[in-house]
């Protein structure tokens, strides 16, 4: 019994003594340590939340830097004003990051995709990151027909979404059909027989209503979702940047075909979103492209407020 106790105490003493050794004595030579590799920049690819009974998912279909942002935004303001506003919002005047964010809405009976990104491979990859396949898409809604919204309709000459029907604004379709545009002819015209056309106030399905917001293109439309008392607006390219466009709707944007009309549409639709205090999705807003619109401050007409967990419930 005494020997057992002595042995036990001795082992414990040794363990305690080892624990008190200086850490330097246990140092591993630098060459023997495993070094964690640099992983590279990363970014979430989708954001999913509920609006009433609808499940809404924004998906990142691409992102790219663009140099000389004032060559795109604020073309009608001085270089000094552009620089002052940019500095106040921690923005570079040398380069801006562009985001391309289609939206998927599951109504419970149909899977609806808003816009198709730059090309078929990119939208297919973005859908996969959110757990979808192209053949699951029931309806493709085109907010307008610039290349970064219609580019994913076809992949290698075949329909990317083989089971889908298409919905778009009549005014938008008619404009591009007469424009001799290569992107339209390659991606949209082949789907003409599968398209339904709506105008201001027309429904895609119950709970998804189109609203005319021209100026960016002649027939540009935004879409309002309503389900179980909750709402959301998908405003597409109504505003292409949270500071240089949304906050200052009168700043001219190079891509707007009718700059005065685009500014008028921005003020009207953004004012509605702010007044109704509902969330919104902007195709080119910083990903995940979900937020709220508030009245502005410091000379701005509006303010983009990124969603910060309000939609996680």
């Amino acid at each position: 019994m005494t020997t057992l106790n002595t042995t036990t105490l001795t082992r414990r003493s040794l363990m305690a003594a080892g624990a008190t050794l200086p850490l330097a004595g246990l140092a591993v030579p630098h060459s023997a340590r495993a070094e964690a590799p640099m992983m590279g920049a990363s970014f979430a690819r989708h954001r999913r939340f509920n609006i009433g009974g609808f499940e809404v998912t924004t998906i990142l279909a691409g992102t790219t830097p663009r140099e000389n942002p004032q060559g795109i935004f604020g073309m009608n303001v001085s270089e000094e004003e552009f620089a002052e506003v940019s500095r106040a919002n921690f923005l570079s005047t040398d380069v801006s990051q562009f985001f391309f964010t289609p939206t998927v809405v599951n109504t419970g009976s149909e899977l609806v995709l808003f816009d198709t990104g730059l090309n078929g491979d990119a939208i297919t990859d973005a859908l996969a990151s959110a757990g979808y396949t192209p053949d699951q898409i029931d309806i493709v809604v085109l907010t307008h027909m610039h290349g970064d919204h219609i580019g994913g309709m076809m992949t290698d000459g075949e329909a990317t979404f083989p089971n889908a029907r298409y919905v778009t604004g009549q005014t938008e379709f008619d404009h591009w059909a007469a424009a001799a545009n290569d992107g339209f002819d390659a991606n949209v015209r082949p789907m003409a027989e599968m398209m339904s056309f709506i105008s201001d106030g027309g429904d895609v399905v119950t709970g998804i209503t189109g609203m005319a917001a021209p100026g960016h293109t002649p027939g540009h439309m935004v879409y309002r979702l309503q389900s179980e008392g909750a709402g959301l607006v998908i405003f597409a390219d109504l505003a292409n940047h949270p500071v240089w466009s949304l906050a200052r709707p009168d700043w001219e944007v190079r891509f707007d075909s009718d700059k005065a009309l685009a500014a008028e549409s921005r003020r009207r639709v953004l004012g509605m979103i702010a007044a109704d205090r509902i969330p919104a999705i902007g195709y080119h807003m910083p990903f995940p492209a979900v937020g709220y619109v508030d009245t502005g401050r410091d000379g701005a007409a509006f303010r983009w407020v990124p969603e910060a967990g309000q939609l996680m419930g």
Side-chain angles (χ1 to χ4, degrees):
M1 179 68 71
T2 301
T3 303
L4 180 60
N5 285 342
T6 302
T7 303
T8 302
L9 288 172
T10 301
R11 185 180 297 119
R12 289 175 179 170
S13 300
L14 288 170
M15 291 175 65
T20 62
L21 289 173
L23 291 177
L26 299 176
V28 179
H30 179 79
S31 59
R33 289 203 303 265
E35 294 184 354
M38 295 291 186
M39 302 299 290
S42 65
F43 216 75
R45 296 292 306 277
H46 76 275
R47 169 78 169 91
R48 183 174 287 125
F49 55 92
N50 292 327
I51 295 294
F54 291 172
E55 187 175 74
V56 179
T57 308
T58 61
I59 56 174
L60 184 63
T63 179
T64 185
R66 296 283 177 86
E67 295 181 353
N68 185 27
Q70 198 178 3
I72 302 172
F73 303 104
M75 299 174 67
N76 57 332
V77 303
S78 69
E79 186 176 336
E80 292 74 19
E81 181 179 357
F82 188 85
E84 181 181 354
V85 169
S86 300
R87 179 175 173 78
N89 289 276
F90 300 92
L91 294 169
S92 168
T93 57
D94 296 324
V95 65
S96 177
Q97 195 72 24
F98 266 62
F99 299 87
F100 305 87
T101 307
T103 299
V104 179
V105 177
N106 190 338
T107 68
S109 58
E110 292 177 295
L111 197 63
V112 184
L113 172 66
F114 289 82
D115 294 323
T116 69
L118 293 154
N119 57 68
D121 290 338
I123 188 65
T124 298
D125 186 52
L127 285 168
S129 75
Y132 302 117
T133 55
D135 62 326
Q136 290 179 298
I137 301 298
D138 297 300
I139 302 172
V140 174
V141 178
L142 301 175
T143 62
H144 65 293
M145 296 185 184
H146 279 165
D148 56 327
H149 294 255
I150 64 172
M153 292 176 66
M154 304 287 285
T155 303
D156 297 327
E158 300 292 333
T160 305
F161 311 101
N163 301 317
R165 62 183 179 90
Y166 297 80
V167 178
T168 193
Q170 183 74 65
T171 300
E172 185 74 357
F173 182 91
D174 291 347
H175 167 78
W176 291 102
N181 178 270
D182 290 343
F184 176 90
D185 290 339
N187 292 288
V188 182
R189 199 180 292 278
M191 304 299 174
E193 293 185 359
M194 292 176 282
M195 285 196 176
S196 299
F197 303 103
I198 63 174
S199 55
D200 187 35
D203 286 344
V204 177
V205 296
T206 301
I208 302 179
T209 302
M211 301 170 56
H216 182 64
T217 60
H220 180 273
M221 296 186 76
V222 304
Y223 289 84
R224 179 154 184 161
L225 277 57
Q226 288 282 116
S227 175
E228 299 177 1
L232 176 142
V233 172
I234 297 172
F235 64 73
D237 282 20
L238 178 83
N240 301 94
H241 191 276
V243 174
W244 297 324
S245 180
L246 183 147
R248 289 163 173 79
D250 296 322
W251 279 22
E252 292 183 356
V253 180
R254 189 178 82 197
F255 303 123
D256 290 343
S257 62
D258 185 327
K259 293 173 174 49
L261 185 57
E264 179 184 319
S265 290
R266 277 193 285 275
R267 286 189 173 274
R268 173 173 53 83
V269 175
L270 295 174
M272 176 200 72
I273 297 170
D276 291 350
R277 297 182 64 82
I278 57 176
I281 296 171
Y283 192 79
H284 294 293
M285 293 296 105
F287 196 78
V290 185
Y292 297 84
V293 178
D294 194 8
T295 53
R297 58 189 67 171
D298 299 327
F302 299 103
R303 181 170 64 102
W304 178 247
V305 183
E307 189 267 343
Q310 297 96 322
L311 300 175
M312 290 184 70

